[in-house]
Amino acid sequence: MSKKIKINQLKAGAIISYLQMAIQILIGLAYTPIMIRLLGQSEYGLYNTVASTISMLSVLRLGFNNSYIRYYSIYKKRNDTKAIDCLNGLFITIFSFIGIIAFVCGIFLTNHLSIVFSNGLTASEYGIARVLMILLTINLAISFPMSVFSNIISAHEKFVFLKCMEIIKNILGPMVTLPLLLMGFRSIAMVSVSLVVSLITDTCYVIYVFLVLNNRFAFKKPEKSLFSDLFAYTVFIAIELIVDQINWNIDKVLLARYKGTVMVAVYSVGYSLYTYYQTFSSSISGVFTPRIHKIVNSGISIENQRMELTELFTKVGRIQFLMLALIASGVVFFGKFFIVRIWAGRGYEDSYIVALLLIIPASIALIQNLGIEIQRAEFKHQFRSIVYVGMACINLVMSIILCKRYGAIGSALGTAFSLVVANGCVMNIYYHKKCNLNIIYFWKSIGKLAMGMIIPIIFGGIMEVFLKSDSVVTYLLEILIYVLVYAVSMWKIGMNNYEKNLFQSVFGKFIKKKDK
């Protein structure tokens, strides 16, 4: 593949990533309130609790997804096709074995629900929870070996196909599920549809890998050194995965145990807004993973590597900040009206506070999430794992104490505090001192960009004090005006020439295509 084609794949992949993100968010915003009203607050909370419990089993991936791209890049540089074939065979074997373990664990949890939920569910909820557990367990178990094929496609930098399939998956699920919900089917139908859609998209990945990429799977005994290197590389990523599951799923389980499924529903609405927010950041950063590994493994001097990594880290971080700052400030000024009057409805007032407690502290990590892949490429991710273990312990202890007293807000507060300590303080120091990144340069650059936030924040505060939305039309008009003020202020004060040219090229191509 030529260099030009690879660059086009990266650009197209980034653009389609944002298209996928927009579709996913729009569908979620339209679909979730209908789902909440049709399921009811209790069953919606139950569905989220069970999904979070099974999601914890995803820690069994143990970081192998990330390690595939690392070793593929190394073998590709050597042009060692036989080693790549053996790598494919090794990973499909490992993930198939992990899938079996996940299935056994899921069935065990299904038969011992009291371990997770104690007395937090009613008798009827236990029956529904068992069926949901089984279906979600099957889906998760199959996803392990199937993830190898999406990793192969990503390693080949075929982002256009990968993102288009994700878009189809995002659209197909709700499109099939919604009529079933309207017909009276409930959460079990939702999970069943999700399983079928996953099987369809996974089948497409398999066909693409074999017929288009012409990949082979060699089941030969790998070198002993590969096993030791693989274990050393993945063990700390596995710790990070465990910590992530504790940080983002344990709150729902604790709330179900101590406060019941209604409180889980309140937390889940705020958490859903956070996941949409997070998508804006993660959708583009994944496109640059292969490039990071290439820079790290290119053999250039440490000084040049630091310059290239810092430049990429800062460019991506600034673009992410442009998007995230608009959304985060928008949630502050317009989020409560949206949640209570438009989206979830009455009874979800606390979801606004939950959303703010998750969104604002997480913003630091989200504009720096390219740093995670840089750490892994440099084989320096061990420290982050240790820090996140401490973060998880703080979060767990605080969430248990606070959720008993303050419910959903208390659980979110524990998570918020741990995020600020770990990501805002400790990891930034480590990035600068150990990961070959100039974090001082990064934050100076972000600070210059953030100057464009001053006018929008003042304007938003004035609207909050003097203009009280009494209708959806007025509310949407206020948002439109705020976005325009934000865009003009950022363009005039915050953005640099690179970002202006980038946006001009994207919208210029869009306008030309529209004119044709």
Side-chain angles (χ1 to χ4, degrees):
M1 183 187 292
S2 68
K3 186 176 181 180
K4 184 176 180 181
I5 295 175
K6 286 185 177 181
I7 292 173
N8 289 337
Q9 278 283 329
L10 285 171
K11 287 184 177 179
I15 293 170
I16 296 175
S17 290
Y18 273 111
L19 176 62
Q20 180 223 346
M21 169 200 66
I23 292 172
Q24 182 180 349
I25 291 172
L26 288 173
I27 289 176
L29 292 176
Y31 173 64
T32 301
I34 298 173
M35 177 175 62
I36 291 174
R37 286 163 175 78
L38 292 176
L39 291 181
Q41 199 171 32
S42 180
E43 188 166 350
Y44 176 67
L46 174 64
Y47 164 74
N48 276 280
T49 305
V50 174
S52 296
T53 303
I54 291 298
S55 179
M56 289 184 182
L57 293 177
S58 64
V59 301
L60 293 169
R61 295 186 190 279
L62 303 176
F64 285 115
N65 277 347
N66 304 89
S67 59
Y68 178 86
I69 295 178
R70 168 185 168 84
Y71 288 100
Y72 174 86
S73 299
I74 294 172
Y75 294 145
K76 186 66 177 177
K77 184 180 178 182
R78 299 176 188 169
N79 200 26
D80 192 344
T81 55
K82 290 184 179 179
I84 293 175
D85 294 344
C86 290
L87 187 71
N88 292 343
L90 174 63
F91 271 75
I92 197 69
T93 302
I94 290 173
F95 275 97
S96 296
F97 181 69
I98 292 174
I100 294 171
I101 295 175
F103 181 78
V104 172
C105 291
I107 295 301
F108 176 81
L109 287 174
T110 301
N111 294 323
H112 299 83
L113 286 176
S114 58
I115 294 176
V116 178
F117 299 107
S118 185
N119 296 319
L121 301 180
T122 64
S124 61
E125 286 176 335
Y126 272 115
I128 297 172
R130 287 190 181 90
V131 179
L132 294 177
M133 279 276 208
I134 292 173
L135 292 172
L136 288 169
T137 295
I138 295 171
N139 197 0
L140 181 67
I142 295 172
S143 73
F144 282 112
M146 291 298 102
S147 67
V148 176
F149 296 93
S150 60
N151 285 333
I152 292 172
I153 297 170
S154 180
H156 281 77
E157 300 184 13
K158 299 295 184 181
F159 301 114
V160 174
F161 172 80
L162 204 58
K163 296 299 178 182
C164 285
M165 288 304 303
E166 290 176 6
I167 289 174
I168 292 171
K169 185 175 182 178
N170 290 335
I171 295 174
L172 193 59
M175 189 172 67
V176 176
T177 303
L178 187 56
L180 294 176
L181 289 175
L182 293 172
M183 291 167 61
F185 296 96
R186 301 179 75 80
S187 56
I188 294 174
M190 289 172 47
V191 177
S192 300
V193 170
S194 177
L195 174 59
V196 173
V197 171
S198 294
L199 290 173
I200 293 171
T201 53
D202 288 339
T203 303
C204 293
Y205 290 148
V206 173
I207 294 172
Y208 190 86
V209 166
F210 282 113
L211 298 185
V212 178
L213 299 180
N214 295 315
N215 261 232
R216 298 174 183 173
F217 290 74
F219 298 93
K220 297 179 181 178
K221 187 176 180 181
E223 300 176 2
K224 291 182 179 179
S225 60
L226 177 60
F227 270 118
S228 59
D229 290 345
L230 194 60
F231 176 78
Y233 180 77
T234 59
V235 63
F236 288 97
I237 298 178
I239 294 173
E240 291 178 24
L241 291 173
I242 294 170
V243 169
D244 279 342
Q245 291 302 322
I246 292 174
N247 284 330
W248 299 115
N249 286 311
I250 197 66
D251 285 348
K252 297 176 188 177
V253 176
L254 290 174
L255 287 169
R257 189 178 186 90
Y258 296 117
K259 292 291 186 178
T261 54
V262 171
M263 192 59 68
V264 176
V266 172
Y267 181 93
S268 296
V269 167
Y271 177 76
S272 293
L273 289 181
Y274 163 75
T275 58
Y276 298 143
Y277 179 74
Q278 182 190 40
T279 304
F280 278 90
S281 173
S282 58
S283 62
I284 189 172
S285 59
V287 174
F288 292 94
T289 300
R291 179 181 288 188
I292 290 169
H293 283 273
K294 286 179 182 178
I295 293 173
V296 172
N297 295 308
S298 62
I300 61 177
S301 66
I302 296 297
E303 291 78 13
N304 288 334
Q305 190 180 107
R306 180 181 179 86
M307 184 176 65
E308 287 193 29
L309 288 174
T310 300
E311 183 182 3
L312 181 63
F313 184 69
T314 304
K315 279 184 178 180
V316 175
R318 282 176 62 95
I319 293 171
Q320 289 170 327
F321 182 87
L322 277 170
M323 300 291 180
L324 297 181
L326 172 61
I327 300 164
S329 59
V331 172
V332 171
F333 296 125
F334 309 106
K336 189 170 185 179
F337 185 95
F338 172 75
I339 291 173
V340 178
R341 298 282 298 276
I342 298 175
W343 200 41
R346 301 291 179 184
Y348 289 93
E349 288 80 4
D350 286 351
S351 299
Y352 169 69
I353 306 299
V354 171
L356 292 181
L357 287 172
L358 297 179
I359 286 173
I360 295 174
S363 299
I364 298 172
L366 292 179
I367 65 171
Q368 294 183 333
N369 58 12
L370 211 63
I372 299 173
E373 293 302 330
I374 292 173
Q375 290 176 72
R376 291 170 180 173
E378 293 178 343
F379 209 63
K380 293 179 180 178
H381 53 284
Q382 297 89 340
F383 179 78
R384 182 176 185 271
S385 303
I386 295 170
V387 170
Y388 271 47
V389 168
M391 172 183 171
C393 293
I394 294 171
N395 184 16
L396 181 60
V397 173
M398 290 189 66
S399 294
I400 290 174
I401 296 171
L402 294 174
C403 87
K404 290 180 179 179
R405 186 167 184 177
Y406 302 109
I409 293 176
S411 292
L413 189 61
T415 302
F417 179 80
S418 61
L419 284 170
V420 171
V421 173
N423 294 320
C425 301
V426 180
M427 286 311 304
N428 270 264
I429 296 172
Y430 185 73
Y431 280 144
H432 188 76
K433 291 185 175 294
K434 298 294 183 180
C435 291
N436 212 15
L437 288 169
N438 189 341
I439 291 299
I440 295 175
Y441 172 84
F442 172 84
W443 281 114
K444 282 183 178 178
S445 183
I446 294 295
K448 292 177 182 178
L449 180 61
M451 294 298 291
M453 287 288 298
I454 296 174
I455 294 174
I457 289 175
I458 294 173
F459 181 77
I462 292 172
M463 284 201 303
E464 183 70 15
V465 173
F466 296 103
L467 298 177
K468 296 294 182 181
S469 301
D470 55 359
S471 69
V472 174
V473 174
T474 306
Y475 172 76
L476 294 176
L477 183 61
E478 289 177 8
I479 291 177
L480 178 60
I481 295 171
Y482 179 79
V483 171
L484 290 174
V485 171
Y486 179 92
V488 172
S489 180
M490 279 297 189
W491 186 272
K492 295 291 185 180
I493 301 173
M495 294 171 67
N496 58 31
N497 290 331
Y498 169 79
E499 289 148 3
K500 290 178 181 179
N501 291 333
L502 181 64
F503 279 92
Q504 283 177 333
S505 65
V506 171
F507 287 106
K509 289 178 181 178
F510 175 78
I511 293 171
K512 286 180 181 178
K513 288 181 179 179
K514 190 175 181 181
D515 291 339
K516 290 180 180 179

